[in-house]
Amino acid sequence: MKFKFHHMNLCTDNLPRLTKFYSQLFSLGAITDEEHTVISRDRADRAYTGAVDFLTDGDIEFHWAERDLDTGFKMNASVNPMGHGHFCFRTDDIKGFMKRCDEMGIRYSDYGCWAIPGWYQVFLQDPDGHVIEVHQPGIFNGL
């Protein structure tokens, strides 16, 4: 099972201000490929309907998102990734990762493919309460 740091997500009540700040200060560019722009369309049937700006420094992605304190409730999950933000590791074996968590007694929330089509997402908290996402791309028909 491989892991690679994929993105950092910050949630905000003022998306244009946050995006402008980071874009200008760190010269981050917008990500406009299909994988990222799909979340900006057809959001009405998803648990998270807030706007997201996807930026990059060329290597790491930054997802600036509108805060939604109710996402966890809507997903019937104990971990809410859209309250304060999270950071993310991408894996090639999400089922193996969940098994590892189970074996270690680490609780997680299995969100499945809920925000970005094809990204199977699991959220957990570290011992200090920071939210961590682990996802595997390319899963369109469930596990």
Side-chain angles (χ1 to χ4, degrees), residues 102-120:
D102 292 338
E103 291 168 350
M104 295 177 67
I106 297 172
R107 296 184 312 174
Y108 57 90
S109 293
D110 180 347
Y111 272 67
C113 295
W114 71 287
I116 298 176
W119 286 18
Y120 198 100

Side-chain angles (χ1 to χ4, degrees), residues 5-9 60-61 63 86-88 119 133 135:
F5 186 79
H6 186 262
H7 71 261
M8 178 180 137
N9 170 285
I60 300 297
E61 292 184 15
H63 300 178
H86 57 271
F87 58 93
C88 173
W119 286 18
E133 171 188 339
H135 79 251

Side-chain angles (χ1 to χ4, degrees), residues 15 37-54 66 74 114-115:
L15 186 58
T37 57
V38 71
I39 195 171
S40 298
R41 300 187 317 259
D42 306 321
R43 292 184 307 215
D45 64 339
R46 298 191 186 139
Y48 176 71
T49 57
V52 180
D53 287 338
F54 296 101
E66 291 178 331
K74 291 184 236 175
W114 71 287

Side-chain angles (χ1 to χ4, degrees), residues 79-98:
V79 179
N80 179 4
M82 302 312 296
H84 299 283
H86 57 271
F87 58 93
C88 173
F89 289 91
R90 181 172 270 192
T91 186
D92 62 345
D93 184 5
I94 196 72
K95 288 174 76 172
F97 176 74
M98 290 187 286

Side-chain angles (χ1 to χ4, degrees), residues 13-63:
D13 295 320
N14 189 329
L15 186 58
R17 179 183 67 196
L18 190 70
T19 298
K20 181 179 178 182
F21 174 83
Y22 280 96
S23 296
Q24 291 180 345
L25 183 62
F26 296 107
S27 302
L28 301 178
I31 302 172
T32 58
D33 62 15
E34 178 64 21
E35 181 180 38
H36 293 82
T37 57
V38 71
I39 195 171
S40 298
R41 300 187 317 259
D42 306 321
R43 292 184 307 215
D45 64 339
R46 298 191 186 139
Y48 176 71
T49 57
V52 180
D53 287 338
F54 296 101
L55 304 169
T56 186
D57 64 0
D59 293 314
I60 300 297
E61 292 184 15
F62 301 90
H63 300 178

